[in-house]
Amino acid sequence: MRQSHQLPLVGLLLFSLIPSQLCAICEVSQENYSCLTILPLLNTMINSKYTRGIQAANVLLSLRLVGIQDQSLERQLTKEVKENEEKKGLDLTSEQPALVILALGACLNSDETITYVHLVSQLEKKFQEEIKNMVTHNGNPLTNYYQLSLDVLALCLFNGNYSVTEVNKYFTPENKNFYFGDQFSVGTGAMAVLALTCVKRSIINGQIKANEMDLKHINNYIESLVKKILHEKKENGLIGNVFSTGEAMQALSVSTNYYNQTEWDCQQTLQTVLKEISQGSFRMPTAAAQILPALFGKTYLDVNNGFSCGSGSFNIPIHEPVPVEPRSSSSWVSVNYTVKTNETYFTNVTVKNGSVFLDVMKRAQQINGTVFRFTYVESSWGPYITSVQGLEANNNDKTYWELLSEGKPLSQGVGSYVVHNGENLEVRWSTY
């Protein structure tokens, strides 16, 4: 645990940089709590076959934050999260203990969170392994900057040890790891804003030792990242894409003093998100879990804030069946599937209507287990392709397997993208 330190008096001058209004609340109205715009999210989070392991942690965190109480469900999710953590142990990536800490520690009193001190120690080691890899591999972390930001956020919120000097060194907004190729990653930037905001508050409150220049750098980083996030705002109000918008809303809600009110129409974003929900855009538990807190005016910074965390008492029928749009009359769909490395391999695959990309890959592997063989792991966003034909994705080399439809990259994952009849699907060996 960290000792408390008082910021030098000269640092008090920097209080002018801190917003008088800590967050701008933009949330769904009470009359929409039980309407069909919210129920599909809950249905996905609770009933999806992917709500297990680390995705269960996302779901538990989200439900606790917004105050949706169901003791039976909470026990089930907590059991799933704990069993996954115990099963994987040291094999967890740095993101996973961070999520487990946030989920299990959310909305609990300080005595209850003591139970998870061993996870904080484990995360401290994982974080240092990320830093070490960046030193030896040209600034590339073992995982990615989204996970690195999540690590800092969890360590900051639950009194873990981390270096403000390292944060200042590696979280410069122009760092290449905030980008995917030439594209700024809104989700990564948003998580970094949340993490840096937590660090900033810890410095101001004297919870961690830092000097005036440290705080100035962190404020500058937040301001720059917020501008980059707003630069990715679309005409319809989405920020980046539909899946990054929830965390972008969180980041913007806690950084209102870094932009003008005219730069972001929160209500427009909210209405577009509600429309996307009604159209079934959030098919994975993590996607649903990440958008829900923003709809209720909550952020991950609230997880250990007893005054606001889980303060809602929402009477939502979370077990009520949610109607879905009828599928086409055909029970099967036929798609063209291609694997592209230095050579191109093609096959036609027939799968059940409503199948996802992963189902196509599994069927292709059954057809030809040599050219279409692949491996995947369960990540917080669902299945993630790690290799095809034995060729493995590598963070240090910036290589990965890209998913495409009709030659265009997909924004959804292999376990959530629903394929369509006659579609041309491709997995391509790519770099970023």
Side-chain angles (χ1 to χ4, degrees):
M1 299 294 180
R2 296 193 305 264
Q3 294 181 347
S4 177
H5 299 274
Q6 294 298 319
L7 191 67
L9 287 177
V10 66
L12 295 177
L13 296 175
L14 292 171
F15 269 98
S16 60
L17 296 173
I18 309 305
S20 57
Q21 180 183 7
L22 287 180
C23 60
I25 301 300
C26 179
E27 58 188 86
V28 69
S29 59
Q30 287 193 3
E31 55 266 25
N32 283 330
Y33 282 167
S34 60
C35 76
L36 294 182
T37 56
I38 296 300
L39 285 178
L41 293 181
L42 300 174
N43 183 60
T44 296
M45 292 163 64
I46 296 165
N47 299 320
S48 171
K49 65 180 180 180
Y50 294 117
T51 303
R52 59 180 186 268
I54 201 62
Q55 291 216 49
N58 270 303
V59 171
L60 179 61
L61 170 60
S62 181
L63 294 179
R64 282 181 164 179
L65 268 178
V66 302
I68 297 176
Q69 303 295 329
D70 183 296
Q71 291 185 355
S72 175
L73 175 62
E74 184 165 339
R75 284 195 298 269
Q76 174 188 336
L77 290 171
T78 300
K79 181 174 181 289
E80 175 67 33
V81 172
K82 287 182 176 179
E83 288 181 349
N84 180 68
E85 184 267 328
E86 292 170 358
K87 178 180 178 181
K88 292 192 174 182
L90 296 178
D91 291 332
L92 292 170
T93 66
S94 65
E95 174 199 29
Q96 292 170 333
L99 272 174
V100 171
I101 290 166
L102 292 174
L104 296 181
C107 307
L108 302 180
N109 61 48
S110 57
D111 291 336
E112 292 174 304
T113 58
I114 293 296
T115 307
Y116 311 117
V117 169
H118 73 285
L119 290 174
V120 176
S121 298
Q122 182 180 348
L123 181 58
E124 291 170 350
K125 295 176 182 177
K126 293 285 186 182
F127 180 67
Q128 287 307 313
E129 289 172 4
E130 297 275 10
I131 298 297
K132 183 178 179 180
N133 197 80
M134 293 172 69
V135 172
T136 58
H137 290 88
N138 194 31
N140 297 321
L142 284 169
T143 53
N144 54 58
Y145 254 46
Y146 179 92
Q147 295 191 22
L148 201 70
S149 300
L150 190 64
D151 293 351
V152 173
L153 178 62
L155 290 173
C156 176
L157 288 171
F158 290 90
N159 297 316
N161 290 308
Y162 62 93
S163 165
V164 175
T165 300
E166 288 178 340
V167 171
N168 276 328
K169 179 179 180 180
Y170 291 109
F171 280 80
T172 56
E174 299 308 319
N175 189 299
K176 63 181 180 179
N177 291 291
F178 282 113
Y179 295 80
F180 195 79
D182 295 329
Q183 180 65 47
F184 177 73
S185 172
V186 171
T188 301
M191 185 57 69
V193 167
L194 292 170
L196 291 171
T197 300
C198 182
V199 173
K200 178 185 73 174
R201 293 178 181 178
S202 295
I203 294 173
I204 293 169
N205 294 333
Q207 294 173 294
I208 188 170
K209 186 177 182 179
N211 57 41
E212 181 178 343
M213 191 57 64
D214 289 329
L215 186 55
K216 182 177 181 180
H217 283 319
I218 288 173
N219 270 291
N220 290 340
Y221 293 174
I222 296 173
E223 181 177 16
S224 179
L225 287 169
V226 165
K227 288 181 179 179
K228 291 178 183 294
I229 291 170
L230 287 171
H231 184 71
E232 300 299 325
K233 180 170 58 68
K234 311 303 181 188
E235 289 186 4
N236 64 359
L238 294 181
I239 308 170
N241 59 43
V242 66
F243 303 109
S244 60
T245 297
E247 288 174 331
M249 291 175 70
Q250 290 191 40
L252 293 176
S253 74
V254 300
S255 56
T256 54
N257 66 319
Y258 295 100
Y259 62 93
N260 296 322
Q261 291 184 355
T262 56
E263 293 183 80
W264 179 41
D265 185 345
C266 182
Q267 288 299 323
Q268 181 198 27
T269 299
L270 182 62
Q271 292 307 312
T272 301
V273 167
L274 293 176
K275 181 179 179 181
E276 292 285 345
I277 294 171
S278 68
Q279 294 174 347
S281 297
F282 300 91
R283 296 178 181 272
M284 294 299 292
T286 292
Q290 288 186 350
I291 195 66
L292 189 64
L295 300 181
F296 286 84
K298 303 294 183 180
T299 80
Y300 295 148
L301 294 177
D302 293 321
V303 297
N304 59 359
N305 183 349
F307 183 75
S308 61
C309 178
S311 58
S313 55
F314 309 119
N315 184 23
I316 298 179
I318 59 178
H319 295 298
E320 179 180 314
V322 179
V324 296
E325 296 181 5
R327 292 171 177 166
S328 63
S329 57
S330 176
S331 299
W332 300 87
V333 295
S334 176
V335 300
N336 300 313
Y337 174 62
T338 300
V339 170
K340 188 173 183 179
T341 55
N342 293 330
E343 298 182 35
T344 300
Y345 306 89
F346 166 84
T347 190
N348 181 266
V349 173
T350 299
V351 292
K352 289 182 178 181
N353 190 15
S355 294
V356 295
F357 204 127
L358 182 63
D359 297 321
V360 172
M361 296 184 69
K362 287 180 177 179
R363 178 62 186 131
Q365 184 171 238
Q366 292 174 347
I367 295 171
N368 188 323
T370 301
V371 298
F372 297 121
R373 74 184 187 276
F374 73 97
T375 60
Y376 69 96
V377 296
E378 289 290 345
S379 73
S380 60
W381 276 92
Y384 175 77
I385 303 301
T386 53
S387 75
V388 178
Q389 295 183 0
L391 191 56
E392 295 191 1
N394 187 296
N395 283 326
N396 291 329
D397 297 333
K398 299 288 186 180
T399 54
Y400 73 109
W401 285 100
E402 185 176 22
L403 309 179
L404 304 99
S405 171
E406 307 300 340
K408 297 180 179 179
L410 293 174
S411 60
Q412 292 177 261
V414 70
S416 57
Y417 180 76
V418 177
V419 303
H420 306 90
N421 192 48
E423 192 170 11
N424 295 300
L425 302 173
E426 179 185 338
V427 289
R428 181 185 301 173
W429 180 243
S430 304
T431 60
Y432 61 96

